[in-house]
Amino acid sequence: MDATTVTVTGAGGQIGYALLFRIASGAMLGPDRPVRLRLLEIPQGLKAAEGAALELQDCAFPLLRSVEITDDARTGFDGANIAMLVGARPRAAGMERGDLLAANAGIFGPQGAALNEVAAADIRVVVVGNPANTNALIAAASAPDIPGDRFAALTRLDHDRAVAQLADATRRSVTDVAGVTIWGNHSATQFPDLDHATVAGRPAREVLADALGGADAVTRWLDDEFVPRVAKRGAEIIAVRGSSSAASAANAALSHIRDSLLGTGDGWTSAAVLSRGEYGVAEGLYSSFPVTSDGSGYRIVEGLSLDDRARARLDASVAELTAERDAVRALGLI
Ligand code: NAX
């Protein structure tokens, strides 16, 4: 089988460190597909990437064909089949949102342009670095020859968090849970939605009512515990661990690519993909939706009903995405 070239940006960071070894082991592309890794860093991050490359060598992974390290985007993305854009500029003390968007546009704009020039024809891109949805929008806008639906931003971590919280609350296994959706932005405004979810084939609200003591208790749990817990889980991890989610984020990025390439099977997952107006989300935004893949890339699951509560929450998150898009437009970044 031909080797797949996977480029990881920010490869010297903590998510990169949790991600590279699992890609090289075959956990992302399957046990038969050889992989060539490209680690793209800024000059300050090269040493850490080199260290990871030494350890990759020491693992003697049978599927790993090569590891190349660079701080040049064109070299890093040359012939890439998959790009995982993890490296981003974090919010520094005193930074306004416009400054953060502009700093990241300075990364994701040039990376999108480099992808446009040198990536393989079948390139697929997942943006992990925050603000992920708008960074995906900027990268895609800078890559006019790559179809917009090849870009996505990661909301799989939010999705997996929601699945795990539902399994925990109903004392069932995560494998019993289906039909969970993350809508909107990968931020505190996201809407983790259980209205279409099932647990062991029964509507999640029914199973929750049994576990929590009635329908009112379910509504309280959803609004006061579940939604905020999933949306703010990143802050909870920082408070407990002392640094931000890394292994779980890497796992989610890997699952995002794996399911896009190998298929989602019977159920659906969540990813922030290009809106063509589905569910009233403004066309052109990268917003999280329920998605399936048959191996050819993510497609939005259509036709789900949204009640007033769901509509209001989705609209609030989309309003934030629209404001981010308008801000980068006003700055002339897209
Ligand atoms: P780290 O600070 O550990 O690593 C980031 C790495 O990116 C550093 O090595 C840095 O040198 C490199 N980098 C910076 N600018 C770069 C550029 N222009 N090209 C290539 N590399 C560059 O951060 P880490 O914990 O790994 O997180 C990375 C990003 O993921 C952050 O933006 C973070 O906010 C975001 N996250 C996104 C999540 C999601 O679900 N979408 C969840 C986890 C995480 O918070």
Side-chain angles (χ1 to χ4, degrees):
M1 211 181 248
D2 286 349
T4 299
T5 299
V6 180
T7 305
V8 177
T9 76
Q14 56 156 1
I15 294 177
Y17 192 70
L19 183 59
L20 296 171
F21 297 86
R22 295 193 59 208
I23 299 172
S25 76
M28 185 166 81
L29 303 174
D32 305 321
R33 187 169 288 276
V35 58
R36 295 182 194 286
L37 278 175
R38 296 267 179 72
L39 318 189
L40 178 60
E41 260 292 351
I42 49 176
Q44 307 89 290
L46 285 174
K47 274 281 171 210
E50 282 167 22
L54 293 179
E55 285 200 69
L56 282 164
Q57 183 179 27
D58 292 349
C59 293
F61 286 118
L63 291 169
L64 185 59
R65 291 286 177 275
S66 61
V67 182
E68 290 167 70
I69 304 163
T70 179
D71 62 0
D72 176 66
R74 286 181 52 116
T75 309
F77 293 130
D78 190 22
N81 306 105
I82 293 167
M84 306 178 79
L85 307 187
V86 179
R89 178 80 190 276
R91 189 189 283 262
M95 217 181 196
E96 297 295 328
R97 192 180 61 163
D99 301 333
L100 182 73
L101 291 168
N104 279 291
I107 295 173
F108 289 87
Q111 289 185 353
L115 283 162
N116 196 56
E117 274 185 62
V118 298
D122 65 350
I123 181 72
R124 288 184 204 190
V125 185
V126 62
V127 176
V128 178
N130 282 317
N133 300 52
T134 297
N135 289 341
L137 175 73
I138 291 166
S142 308
D145 302 326
I146 301 176
D149 59 9
R150 302 286 189 79
F151 289 81
L154 187 74
T155 53
R156 179 62 178 263
L157 179 56
D158 310 294
H159 178 96
D160 289 346
R161 287 167 170 167
V163 167
Q165 290 299 320
L166 176 57
D168 191 51
T170 55
R171 293 177 206 92
R172 300 297 296 235
S173 154
V174 288
T175 55
D176 289 330
V177 171
V180 169
T181 302
I182 304 296
W183 300 92
N185 202 0
H186 169 68
S187 76
T189 68
Q190 67 176 260
F191 174 38
D193 176 13
L194 299 185
D195 287 349
H196 304 279
T198 56
V199 179
R202 286 176 65 208
R205 275 181 183 265
E206 266 180 46
V207 184
L208 282 164
D210 291 349
L212 302 173
D216 289 349
V218 173
T219 305
R220 276 198 305 279
W221 180 80
L222 287 173
D223 286 339
D224 300 343
E225 291 189 43
F226 172 76
V227 169
R229 185 135 204 227
V230 172
K232 296 180 189 159
R233 182 70 160 184
E236 185 182 347
I237 301 288
I238 292 174
V240 176
R241 197 174 98 87
S243 55
S244 57
S245 333
S248 54
N251 181 64
L254 181 146
S255 301
H256 171 107
I257 293 291
R258 185 197 58 216
D259 289 357
S260 155
L261 288 172
L262 305 182
T264 41
D266 293 337
W268 72 66
T269 183
S270 302
V273 296
L274 178 63
S275 170
R276 298 203 159 84
E278 292 89 346
Y279 296 100
V281 176
E283 199 175 337
L285 292 177
Y286 282 81
S287 176
S288 190
F289 288 101
V291 294
T292 57
S293 173
D294 60 6
S296 63
Y298 285 126
R299 282 191 178 66
I300 295 170
V301 176
E302 297 200 60
L304 299 179
S305 58
L306 294 175
D307 65 12
D308 290 349
R309 166 184 172 274
R311 186 76 256 168
R313 285 191 180 271
L314 173 57
D315 287 351
S317 197
V318 170
E320 185 184 48
L321 284 174
T322 308
E324 288 181 15
R325 182 199 56 196
D326 292 349
V328 292
R329 246 192 213 151
L331 293 165
L333 301 171
I334 55 170

